Amino acid sequence: MALPSHAQIVVIGGGIIGCSTAYHLARDHKADVILLEQGKLTSGSTWHAAGLVGQLRSSASITRVLKYSVELYKGLEAETGLATGWKMTGCLRLATNQDRWTEYKRLATTAKSFGMDMQLVSPEEVKRMWPLMETSDLVGASWLPTDGQASPSDITQSLAKGARMHGAKLFENVRVTGFEMKDGRIQKVKTDQGDIACDKVVNCAGQWARQVGAMAGINVPLQPVKHQYIITEKVPGLSTDAPTIRDPDRRTYFKEEVGGLVMGGYEPNPQGWTTGDVPNDWEFRLFDDDYDHFEQHMTQAIERVPALETVGVKQMINGPESFTPDGNFILGSAPECSNMFVGAGFNAFGIASGGGAGWVLAQWVVDGEAPLDLWVVDIRRFSNLHRDRQWVSDRTLEAYGKHYTIGFPHEEYESRRPYIVSPLYERLKRHGAVFGSKLGWERPNWFAPQGTEAKDVYSMGRQNWFARVGDEHAHVRKAVGIFDQSSFAKYEMSGSDARRALDFICANDVSKPAGRLTYTQLLNTRGGIEADLTVARLADDKFYIVTGTGFRTHDLAWISDHVPAGLKAQLVDVTEEYGTLSLMGPKARNVLEAVTKADVSNAAFPFGHVREIVIAGTTVRALRVTYVGELGWELHVPIAATGEVFDALMAAGAAHDIRPVGYRALESLRLEKGYRAWGSDITPNDTPFEAGLGWAVKLRKNTDFLGRKALEKIAGAALTKRLAGFTVDDKDVVLVGRETILRDGQPVGYLTSGGYGYTVGKNIGYGYVRNAAGVGDDFLKSGVYELVVATEKVPARIHLEPMFDPAAARVKA
């Protein structure tokens, strides 16, 4: 069959992700789709995958994606006539210490929050379910009965057949050699057998996805890592329906296969493959067996399953798998090229994710926006930092090594740090700063007092910084603190149509006169919140936009993508041009007055305004705005002068007891004020009305804006979910998010964020309460609430107002 000269959509890569995407494009969207595979279907990393299918992740949306995979695999054979090897064996995760057991209690709670039944079982029960296992060192195990295993090649062939049945055309032995581009869009896919003109391209090229992306100027930060497992001869007494086993404290996994075991693991000293290009002809090829490196897994596995000592090894598989710097896969629309989408980097979760990833990616390709909150896997979470191949390799190997380590709250990566530092880095270090890192930037999380070690000590309970962060929090409430927020993403939009462009993109009214600033959400066509940020109008035709560090690529691309055609509006990223110092607390004005001649009184410089003022001989953009609920200013300083302005503020502030403060205090301060965090409390799954942010939507104005139609449909209707605050009095409870909310004993939702409010002296959480018949104030206030924290129920109180300074008198002082 000759290659067609045109298609609506070209999918590159015939592994499980490519075949699933083609299947869903053809089945759900009746798209004209062509799939190109350079070798044979499954010849990349699909064919040598171990085939474990787990479903629970820490994101509700990703868990939904994995649950969808299971549902699809269950029914696929009936549709296509090709078996998938799907077996719902369930999965046991073993715990050998109390920290791991706490992690499982939290996981079991998360599972119930997401509608899955994970049970915690005793060592005796584990022994009954898996008699060949040594269980004397176990505290217990978690048991998820709906997990299972599948044959990767069989599933892929079944998806490929399904895709053909729905009209997709699949071509093997066709290599993509480049793209014909025009104005940042792909016009044609070039191959060794002719060119194909197309509207959209989906890059599902597995470990080649980085190279395929690079041909179109797109960065796909992947690192192939050698992943080994063995297949044993028959193990006497092993049941054919034995559950799959994950033994993370010994870093190994097991699944039954034809009476024997598949056993592999995630070692702390992984072996990366190349940081260059993966050879094109690497199909159905493996690395040489490396028993020396694998011995660490073998030793641990024999201690867990003693029968392995006398069972022969039928085969060792040592093949490359694509891993990413944060252990999450990569989906979505590439920021550098508006019509290339990516589905790659599955971190050995490709089989579990394949069905669901193809489903959401197909929808994303057709609609141009994600169908649910997929931020944790969105390619736009990366930045130019991820073009550094060595950085990506080092960080990815660290993430691989943590695959089975205990997931302590607030844990930070350590490799390749520091990478990006603000001009204040050395100064803050001298103050005892303990840094975290966000998108490569070093940021102070907290400050260690003299004589104590400036480092985090992780634990499942209260961590070593808890009391110290409480001191910083209290200091901002009673005096004044200075936060280094230079890592904020910052853009400028200018041009004669800048106002019109932002008026369409923003849900709130940003067309106020110059000198005013606006907090606003950016909405998708479903009315869901794609971003929230601050827009300051500097002049009639110039706007300054500030958003969170991690959202730099995402928000820039979202704004760029949605400027209506024909408008004169230029968007520029100026993140590195400005340092940001947030001066916050009741004495902030006293400090600011001492360093500038400008009038910063409440009358001259009210809340929600922006002014240019001079500090230490430097013109500074001062934004009167807050994320901590106190009087304060964000001072945006030309980057080279950031140190001098900081020194001037510290000198003038000495009389008012000024102190540098870190991001952990910022978090507890914002929780007390009920300020929402994008990515947790507000996401593309949530509308401003549900999030309690309806006041920031300009529905009363006769202006069209993105998401308006969706909001108009629901504006008068009763809401079925609403964000509420919760407090727990018990000081020993630790809230981290995803705890189940019970109302009158029934689950009605789960926490989206959790922490501690030092001023109110209580644990604080936020979460959506759901009720199909409506969630009016009466319904919310009339229930008796509990939270399920690590499987234990604790009494909680609901709050519909901010817990601290509900009238915002302090902010407007």
Side-chain angles (χ1 to χ4, degrees), residues 591-601 604 612-618:
V591 178
L592 200 54
E593 281 171 342
V595 294
T596 183
K597 292 192 171 79
D599 186 350
V600 294
S601 65
E612 289 200 331
I613 65 175
V614 177
I615 302 175
T618 299

Side-chain angles (χ1 to χ4, degrees), residues 595-661:
V595 294
T596 183
K597 292 192 171 79
D599 186 350
V600 294
S601 65
N602 199 39
F605 198 158
F607 183 73
H609 284 64
V610 57
R611 301 270 186 274
E612 289 200 331
I613 65 175
V614 177
I615 302 175
T618 299
T619 302
V620 171
R621 286 177 184 172
L623 282 61
R624 189 163 165 204
V625 63
T626 180
Y627 194 55
V628 301
E630 295 292 339
L631 169 67
W633 284 265
E634 255 176 41
L635 305 171
H636 292 253
V637 185
I639 196 98
T642 310
E644 288 162 56
V645 171
F646 175 82
D647 293 343
L649 290 165
M650 289 298 287
H656 306 286
D657 197 18
I658 194 168
R659 272 167 54 177
V661 179

Side-chain angles (χ1 to χ4, degrees), residues 468-511:
R468 182 62 188 174
V469 168
D471 293 344
E472 292 178 28
H473 173 117
H475 196 83
V476 175
R477 289 271 184 255
K478 72 172 190 284
V480 60
I482 189 164
F483 299 83
D484 179 12
Q485 296 191 281
S486 300
S487 64
F488 270 156
K490 302 168 276 274
Y491 326 119
E492 285 175 1
M493 187 183 268
S494 54
S496 53
D497 294 323
R499 181 197 61 78
R500 282 177 61 198
L502 285 171
D503 229 12
F504 174 71
I505 294 165
C506 299
N508 205 349
D509 183 8
V510 295
S511 63

